[in-house]
Amino acid sequence: GAVMTPSVTIDFVSDVVFPWCALGATALEQAIENVAGEVSVELTYKPFELNPNMPAEGEKAVEHLMRKYGRTAQDVANGKAMQIERGNAIGFKFDLEKRTHFYNTFDAHRLLLWASEQGRQVALKKILLRAYFSEGQNPSDQQTLARLAAEAGLDQEQASEVLASGAYAAEVRELEAFYQQRGINSVPALVLNDRHLVSGSQSVEYYEQMLRQLASASAEA
């Protein structure tokens, strides 16, 4: 008879302006491709705002990192170098000179929830990360977001309407509160099959092994 492919659900809690979220998402995507045929993965991105009080115009990136984390300019430069290197290793290009500011990401999270209902969320997330980290685009700008939605195969006019209307605001806040109540206060964080938590950005190999282990556990259950 036909053998069912074991399936794993992943809720990937993250923000679109955090380098480690870009690294984690890219590594996970490759791991999912590597286990295709063995494990079927249902991936959903869930919202987390690193800076919910960030004003619309954003804050200069280096100043922000120094202020928020008490880092020196040299620490920031070292961190960037490490992120660029990790990105290169898995084919994600960081152009952190173009990333001049940190921005408010609330609208991006609203758009991602809408995209999820349209079945295009993973595509949109990937485009948002690239637009910000590789091209220095502003993910708090509604026109930019609508244009990027179109690139992800979504209807640009509908995307503009969703953004202008304030739709999904309550849902984003509810989800954020839900994960904070579960003790998730740093990202990326992955919740697997609604019960296992994996914190931080991990390697492709790590994610691959994790998916295989969960799949074999569910196959035995």
Side-chain angles (χ1 to χ4, degrees):
V3 178
M4 289 285 289
T5 311
S7 67
V8 174
T9 63
I10 302 179
D11 289 327
F12 192 108
V13 185
S14 66
D15 202 351
V16 293
V17 292
F18 194 48
W20 297 107
C21 292
L23 289 167
T26 304
L28 179 63
E29 187 189 338
Q30 290 177 18
I32 290 170
E33 278 173 26
N34 292 350
V35 298
E38 296 169 63
V39 187
S40 113
V41 180
E42 192 186 320
L43 170 62
T44 311
Y45 286 105
K46 301 292 187 184
F48 184 98
E49 286 176 277
L50 283 160
N51 302 295
N53 306 316
M54 183 65 75
E57 69 277 9
E59 185 181 2
K60 287 190 173 159
V62 175
E63 282 87 332
H64 171 76
L65 292 167
M66 289 168 70
R67 178 184 63 76
K68 185 172 181 183
Y69 302 105
R71 293 185 191 152
T72 64
Q74 188 57 52
D75 293 336
V76 172
N78 293 347
K80 275 186 185 181
M82 177 166 66
Q83 289 156 356
I84 289 167
E85 195 181 313
R86 295 262 184 109
N88 287 340
I90 56 173
F92 187 89
K93 180 178 179 289
F94 283 111
D95 189 335
L96 295 175
E97 298 317 304
K98 286 185 183 155
R99 180 201 68 178
T100 55
H101 288 66
F102 274 81
Y103 293 104
N104 186 295
T105 54
F106 191 71
D107 284 348
H109 288 303
R110 291 196 297 116
L111 196 65
L112 283 162
L113 281 193
W114 171 68
S116 178
E117 292 184 354
Q118 309 290 315
R120 306 293 306 154
Q121 194 199 38
V122 172
L124 178 61
K125 176 76 170 189
K126 192 173 181 176
I127 285 170
L128 287 174
L129 290 169
R130 188 203 69 213
Y132 179 66
F133 285 110
S134 311
E135 296 156 11
Q137 298 194 55
N138 175 355
S140 68
D141 178 75
Q142 294 195 346
Q143 282 179 307
T144 301
L145 286 171
R147 184 171 42 73
L148 295 171
E151 274 187 52
L154 291 151
D155 184 298
Q156 186 164 345
E157 233 168 278
Q158 266 186 297
S160 294
E161 281 167 26
V162 166
L163 290 163
S165 71
Y168 301 95
E171 290 88 333
V172 169
R173 291 206 172 91
E174 272 167 35
L175 282 164
E176 289 179 334
F178 173 76
Y179 288 107
Q180 279 164 359
Q181 283 154 10
R182 293 183 75 170
I184 293 175
N185 48 27
S186 67
V187 286
L190 284 69
V191 181
L192 309 158
N193 292 343
D194 284 333
R195 57 178 185 272
H196 307 285
L197 177 68
V198 173
S199 294
S201 170
Q202 307 293 339
S203 67
V204 177
E205 297 72 27
Y206 181 97
Y207 287 138
E208 213 176 302
Q209 193 182 352
M210 167 194 92
L211 289 169
R212 288 205 165 96
Q213 277 175 341
L214 277 171
S216 65
S218 75
E220 287 157 22

